[in-house]
Amino acid sequence: MNLGEFQKAHADFDKANRLDLMQPKFWHAKGLAYEAESMLDPKNIRQDLQEKALEMFQKAIEVADNFMGSRFHLGLMFHRLTRFDKA
């Protein structure tokens, strides 16, 4: 993900999730990848990828309600999507 190879990162995170669906950090990492990928072009921010990031952060919280990293990023994503009532 840090190299900008998002398709490979998504594949890696999918594999990790298949190995352990109850590990919130894998869902969170996939959300971070979608979040970063969504903002590659600041003039054309990909809302579809931001929605996927939301889903991944929510899944991490479903797995572990106290996973603060995902709670933080979920709030950021809601804010970016101007869903202030949820942020």
Side-chain angles (χ1 to χ4, degrees), residues 65-84:
D65 186 53
N66 62 346
F67 199 76
M68 291 299 122
S70 285
R71 289 195 169 277
F72 175 77
H73 281 273
L74 185 65
L76 284 176
M77 294 306 300
F78 279 133
H79 187 269
R80 285 187 186 128
L81 293 166
T82 64
R83 296 184 197 162
F84 301 117

Side-chain angles (χ1 to χ4, degrees), residues 16-56:
N17 282 325
R18 282 192 302 276
L19 294 172
D20 187 354
L21 290 172
M22 300 307 290
Q23 183 54 257
K25 66 182 176 182
F26 298 154
W27 296 106
H28 180 76
K30 189 163 174 70
L32 291 176
Y34 279 127
E35 182 180 4
E37 187 178 9
S38 76
M39 297 185 289
L40 283 176
D41 179 0
K43 293 180 182 178
N44 185 28
I45 294 175
R46 301 259 323 262
Q47 189 171 348
D48 60 323
L49 295 177
Q50 290 183 337
E51 293 289 342
K52 288 182 179 184
L54 277 175
E55 291 174 30
M56 296 302 108

